[in-house]
Every structure is written in C-alpha cells, then in structure tokens.
C-alpha cells in the first residue's frame, strides 16, 4: 500500500477519533471530568504498544521455490507500532481539547480571526488601496470591530488590529471606546463607528 493511502487512512481515523473526543468533552461525562487521567492512560498505552512492537517485531521469513529467503512484512494496520502511535496521538488530543477551547474562546484570538476573515473577504476589492497608493492618498479608514477591555482596548481598522497609540493608514489611534474609535489624521480628530 502506498504511503499516501496509509497517510489518508491514518488522518481519517484521527479525524474520527478527534470528533469523538470533542463530542465526549461536550457531553460532560467521564472523559471530561477525568481528562488528564484518560489522556495519560491513552498516551501511556500507545507508548507501551509502540515499544513492545519495536522490541519484539520481526518480519516473517519465507523460503521461495528457488531456496531464496524472503522477508514478509505485516500490513501497516496489523502492526502494534501503528496502533500504538494512533493511541499516543489520541492521548495528546484528549489532553489538548480544553486548552484549545480556552485559546479559541480568548477574545484577542477571536478578534484576529475576524480581522483575517475581513481581509480574505475583501481581497477582490483590494484595488482601492492600490489606486490610492498611486495618488499618494491613504485609503479610507473603516472600523470592523472593537474588543473593549479596560486595561488595553483594541479595534480592527482596515483589517489591522490596533491599540491606542498605533498608526494605521496615516492616522494615529488616540482613543478606543466600547462603540467607537477616535483617530487623529493630519492634525484633525475623527470618530470611526462600526462599519455596516
């Protein structure tokens, strides 16, 4: 079997297991309550299976009709090292679900996702910025989102995440409120509201 077929089968199995792990964590059952223990048992069992295979596996020797010895390898899915590796990866996935969820729920990460989404959505409309570069006038500023935190509020302007004091499109951000951003451009202040 070719390496790409093996890789495809392995990725499909891991995707299925990852989906099952995610669903188990959603249900709030035993796996979620004992996440570290389950992850440790799965990873430990996988490592043990892999080590046992490496220590004891020998290909089968077979003599053909001409007296030549041939080594016959077991198929990849019949090897303990393959299943041990999958168990080890599954254990790592179980251990990583909660930290990944916390990371994905972080507002700063979500703001970056919104900025990336806005950037990708407006790729065909990027000609306006090239036109303005030729005429030496900055592109019009559009505010796409605000993440308001008392310590360090941030906003997305023209697909770029900015903080108070940052520069974007020739303007300096001087204030970020829960509903608007105040900028200074060419010595004049301007208030940007959420773009619709």
């Amino acid at each position: 079997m070719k390496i790409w077929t093996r890789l495809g089968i392995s990725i499909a199995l891991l995707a299925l297991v990852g989906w099952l792990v995610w669903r188990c964590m959603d249900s709030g059952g035993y796996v979620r309550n004992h996440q570290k223990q389950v992850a440790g048992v799965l990873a430990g069992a996988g490592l043990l299976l892999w080590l046992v295979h490496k220590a004891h596996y020998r290909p089968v020797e077979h003599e053909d009709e001409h007296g030549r010895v041939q080594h016959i390898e077991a198929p990849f899915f019949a090897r303990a090292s393959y299943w041990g590796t999958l168990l080890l990866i599954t254990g790592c996935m179980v251990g990583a679900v909660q930290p990944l969820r916390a990371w994905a729920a972080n507002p700063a990460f979500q703001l970056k996702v919104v900025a990336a989404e806005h950037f990708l959505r407006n790729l065909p409309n990027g000609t306006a910025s090239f036109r303005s570069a030729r005429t030496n006038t900055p592109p019009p500023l559009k505010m796409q989102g605000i993440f308001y935190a008392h310590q360090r509020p941030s906003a997305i302007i023209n697909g770029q995440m900015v903080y108070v004091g940052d520069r974007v499109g020739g303007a300096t951000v001087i204030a970020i409120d829960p509903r608007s951003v105040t900028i200074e451009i060419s010595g004049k202040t301007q208030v940007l509201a959420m773009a619709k």
Side-chain angles (χ1 to χ4, degrees), residues 35-47 87 91:
Q35 178 185 356
K36 289 181 182 175
Q37 293 87 345
V38 171
V41 166
L42 287 170
L47 184 61
L87 273 175

Side-chain angles (χ1 to χ4, degrees), residues 71-91:
H71 295 283
I72 301 173
E73 295 278 336
F76 78 97
F77 55 82
R79 296 182 193 158
S81 62
Y82 175 75
W83 294 105
T85 303
L86 287 183
L87 273 175
L88 186 63
I89 293 171
T90 301

Side-chain angles (χ1 to χ4, degrees), residues 70-191:
Q70 294 179 337
H71 295 283
I72 301 173
E73 295 278 336
F76 78 97
F77 55 82
R79 296 182 193 158
S81 62
Y82 175 75
W83 294 105
T85 303
L86 287 183
L87 273 175
L88 186 63
I89 293 171
T90 301
C92 293
M93 286 190 325
V94 169
V97 168
Q98 286 303 91
L100 282 175
R101 282 186 171 190
W103 180 63
N106 183 350
F109 172 74
Q110 291 176 351
L111 200 57
K112 289 178 184 177
V113 170
V114 169
E117 180 185 9
H118 175 75
F119 175 77
L120 292 174
R121 203 178 310 138
N122 291 323
L123 275 178
N125 299 334
T127 54
S129 62
F130 292 120
R131 264 189 259 119
S132 62
R134 280 191 222 121
T135 61
N136 291 332
T137 58
L141 297 174
K142 292 183 182 175
M143 199 240 321
Q144 292 91 24
I146 294 177
F147 172 62
Y148 189 77
H150 291 291
Q151 290 85 12
R152 194 169 184 219
S154 58
I156 300 175
I157 299 175
N158 288 9
Q160 177 183 342
M161 184 155 45
V162 294
Y163 299 93
V164 174
D166 288 352
R167 293 188 54 80
V168 59
T172 304
V173 178
I174 54 176
I176 299 175
D177 297 320
R179 298 186 188 276
S180 64
V181 175
T182 306
I183 58 169
E184 182 180 329
I185 186 164
S186 301
K188 299 176 184 174
T189 58
Q190 182 181 348
V191 177

Side-chain angles (χ1 to χ4, degrees), residues 9-45:
I9 291 170
S10 301
I11 289 172
L13 277 171
L14 285 172
L16 177 66
V17 169
W19 179 79
L20 289 171
V21 166
W22 199 268
R23 297 293 297 163
C24 287
M25 297 301 261
D26 274 346
S27 68
Y30 183 83
V31 175
R32 185 171 184 178
N33 295 335
H34 299 10
Q35 178 185 356
K36 289 181 182 175
Q37 293 87 345
V38 171
V41 166
L42 287 170

